[in-house]
Amino acid sequence: MEKRWVYKDEPDKEIVEKISREINISEYLSKILVQRGITTFDEAKIFFRPSLSRLHDPFLMLNMDRAVNRLTDAVFNKEKILIYGDYDVDGTTSVSLMYLFLKQFSDQLEFYIPDRYTEGYGISEKGINHAITNNFDLIIALDCGIRAVDRAKQAKEADIDLIICDHHLPGDELPDAFALLDPKQKNCPYPYKELSGCGVGFKLLEGFCQQNTIEKEKLFDLLDLVAVSIGCDIVPIVDENRILAHYGLKKLNLDPSAGLKSLIEISGKKNQFSITDVVFSIGPRINAAGRLTHAKESVNLLIGDSTQTDAFADNLNDRNKERREFDQQITAEALEMISELDADKKSTVLFKEDWHKGVIGIVASRCIEHYHRPTIILTESKGKATGSARSVDGFDVHQAISDCAELLDQFGGHTHAAGLTLPLTNVEKFISKFEEVVGSRILPDQLIPKVEIDCEIPLSEITFKTYNVMNQMAPFGPQNMSPVFGTKNVFVDAIPKVIKDKHLKGFVHAENSTRRFEFIGFGMADKLDQINVGEPFNIAYHLEENNYLGNKSLILNLKDVRIDA
């Protein structure tokens, strides 16, 4: 698929030169820092040296004092506490963090995760009934609850106090909870709004530590769980999230909690884990239980001790293999169905009654990799069509679905991902209406995948020093992505090898240079015809380190290849 190359705007040259001099880095790297809003020596120091001392005071969050006071009373008066969380990675890590920390002070804890299929997302009626039946005094809801108006009312009528720790956008009406923690609610003065759900739970526990003069090191010992939530919930990795992710990854790589250690071992990865590794190696295994059976299996792993976790990890790994098989099979069917559609369509909506509900969001993303347009995958569940939507960069799929609301029973989500449910009889009408809405609004450029290039750089600047400075910009993620470099007019001495019929591998060099740079192009075998010996071409790439048996070398991980850009 042809991609468009977009170069980021050139920043102020004087500021670039000043930062380059002050911190002794090349102007190419200085340019990337300035693009990311780092324009002074002090800002660069804070960026390159994250410090836990720079975490914001938890009591700046609206209602934190009330939440901490209630939690303190519950813990020290030995009240029964139910820790309630969503079934995804953010929810299960939130529950695990809260459980593992509080069990040091209370033996009156239990956790509850709703069933993805019978209860659905958020605080469920069944969950509140469980709390009532089992005489719980306090519910702490994590990564959900900000719109649970009816369930909050149900808990209040049963004389159960409810603390909500959420990070999603509130609706017009807020739930009448004992304490509502959400930095996105109106009038909340908390300076950083983009915490994960687990991050909000972390701030509650940080406030608990401050108020009760408990060493925060006890809490920081669990930052590996917070880092996993940050990576897998795709929140921005700037400000407080950058600090939490930095120290969480350090913990994950040096001394992970028992459950995460078992997942790392079963993943087979030997090198240091990055946020990307968390997203692709740890996240899917934690998520697999919620998709195929029940997410409480994931929590059992994450809170288990070393005598239990290997067995739990084996179980999750098996679930992930099942998930992958469903994913691959359904993706193949979906791609075949798309190939039979009108090539000029601006959207993809597919329905098949026997597709597994737990993987349709993944399948939608896979389809966009091949057909770059807003995509919805629907299946049948409980007599309804239910589905997941994914979008392309810059197009608001949630708004497009909203414009089809008269055909739907319910929908929710955000700009790039959404879920929806509709009567089976409305599927064909919805397919037509959604195509009409997308077709009237989507821009031609949005239908072409783009490669956004941070900086054009000559191969002579690709050195270990460049890599080492760049690597200190990690952890990488939204709003602080791993830099993409562009280099024009590179050459090969030999045609690259095609690996497993899919990938390209070879060496490039600058004109009249003897220095060779290894490259790998995953899924780029179709670019082979653009690479000829003695003919210049252009590359966009990430700079990475290859560590094989202790021998370190630099490798260019290609994002795209083209003759002219």
Side-chain angles (χ1 to χ4, degrees), residues 322-389:
E322 283 179 62
R323 189 273 308 162
R324 202 179 292 139
E325 286 170 12
F326 281 127
D327 164 5
Q328 290 170 349
Q329 173 197 333
I330 296 169
T331 298
E333 289 179 25
L335 290 174
E336 188 168 337
M337 289 168 70
I338 297 173
S339 70
E340 295 168 2
L341 297 175
D342 180 354
D344 293 329
K345 281 177 77 71
K346 303 296 188 286
S347 69
T348 298
V349 183
L350 304 176
F351 170 76
K352 198 158 184 282
E353 67 280 349
D354 62 348
W355 282 343
H356 197 291
K357 185 179 172 186
V359 300
I360 53 178
I362 299 170
V363 172
S365 297
R366 297 263 191 273
C367 290
I368 288 176
E369 291 171 8
H370 296 266
Y371 297 88
H372 193 77
R373 57 201 189 205
T375 297
I376 299 175
I377 305 294
L378 298 164
T379 187
E380 185 176 341
S381 177
K382 298 182 186 174
K384 300 277 187 182
T386 186
S388 285

Side-chain angles (χ1 to χ4, degrees), residues 245-261:
H246 174 87
Y247 285 95
L249 284 175
K250 193 176 273 192
K251 169 74 176 169
L252 188 72
N253 283 305
L254 292 176
D255 180 28
S257 57
L260 290 174
K261 184 178 182 183

Side-chain angles (χ1 to χ4, degrees), residues 2-3 41 67 77 111 117 126 151 159 213 240-241 250 343 348 416 437 499:
E2 194 68 28
K3 297 176 182 176
F41 177 84
N77 291 328
F111 72 86
Y117 303 111
K126 184 178 175 184
R151 300 288 74 82
D159 289 327
T213 59
E240 199 161 37
N241 281 344
K250 193 176 273 192
T348 298
H416 286 104
V437 169
I499 310 293

Side-chain angles (χ1 to χ4, degrees), residues 70-315:
R70 184 64 189 91
L71 177 58
T72 299
D73 287 346
V75 167
F76 295 113
N77 291 328
K78 298 203 173 295
E79 295 179 52
K80 288 189 74 176
I81 303 171
L82 183 66
I83 302 169
Y84 189 109
D86 188 27
Y87 42 68
D88 68 0
V89 176
D90 195 11
T92 51
T93 51
S94 299
V95 167
S96 303
L97 171 78
M98 190 67 60
Y99 187 94
L100 285 171
F101 184 79
L102 290 182
K103 81 169 189 177
Q104 299 172 80
F105 308 97
S106 172
D107 59 2
Q108 300 295 305
L109 304 174
E110 193 179 304
F111 72 86
Y112 188 98
I113 307 283
D115 184 275
R116 186 186 195 109
Y117 303 111
T118 62
E119 295 171 77
Y121 168 78
I123 303 176
S124 68
E125 184 177 3
K126 184 178 175 184
I128 300 294
N129 287 337
H130 174 83
I132 294 169
T133 303
N134 291 279
N135 300 311
F136 281 94
D137 303 293
L138 174 65
I139 301 171
I140 303 172
L142 297 147
D143 190 35
C144 60
I146 192 65
R147 294 179 180 237
V149 174
D150 291 341
R151 300 288 74 82
K153 184 180 177 186
Q154 182 189 357
K156 190 167 187 176
E157 287 172 352
D159 289 327
I160 299 174
D161 288 335
L162 173 63
I163 296 174
I164 291 173
C165 301
D166 204 350
H167 68 132
H168 296 99
L169 281 169
D172 294 333
E173 183 182 358
L174 293 176
D176 185 13
F178 185 90
L180 182 54
L181 302 178
D182 185 335
K184 292 192 177 86
Q185 63 181 309
K186 279 180 187 171
N187 304 319
C188 179
Y190 196 73
Y192 187 61
K193 306 295 184 184
E194 300 299 331
L195 293 167
S196 64
C198 188
V200 178
F202 173 87
K203 298 309 292 189
L204 173 58
L205 293 176
E206 191 184 6
F208 178 81
C209 288
Q210 277 181 218
Q211 180 146 312
N212 295 288
T213 59
I214 295 165
E215 284 289 325
K216 285 189 185 179
E217 287 304 320
K218 288 179 184 289
L219 180 58
F220 296 158
D221 266 351
L222 298 170
L223 276 175
D224 49 354
L225 290 166
V226 183
V228 170
S229 84
I230 288 169
C232 294
D233 220 53
I234 322 294
V235 292
I237 303 190
V238 295
D239 199 288
E240 199 161 37
N241 281 344
R242 177 174 170 79
I243 298 168
L244 295 171
H246 174 87
Y247 285 95
L249 284 175
K250 193 176 273 192
K251 169 74 176 169
L252 188 72
N253 283 305
L254 292 176
D255 180 28
S257 57
L260 290 174
K261 184 178 182 183
S262 293
L263 283 182
I264 289 168
E265 287 172 353
I266 212 161
S267 77
K269 183 173 165 55
K270 305 295 184 194
N271 297 335
Q272 295 270 299
F273 263 67
S274 65
I275 285 291
T276 301
D277 298 320
V278 166
V279 171
F280 289 104
S281 288
I282 293 178
R285 289 176 168 86
I286 294 175
N287 253 334
R291 292 185 188 281
L292 300 186
T293 51
H294 200 292
K296 64 185 178 188
E297 294 177 12
S298 299
V299 178
N300 283 330
L301 166 76
L302 295 173
I303 66 173
D305 63 37
S306 55
T307 63
Q308 307 165 304
T309 53
D310 286 351
F312 287 140
D314 282 338
N315 180 40

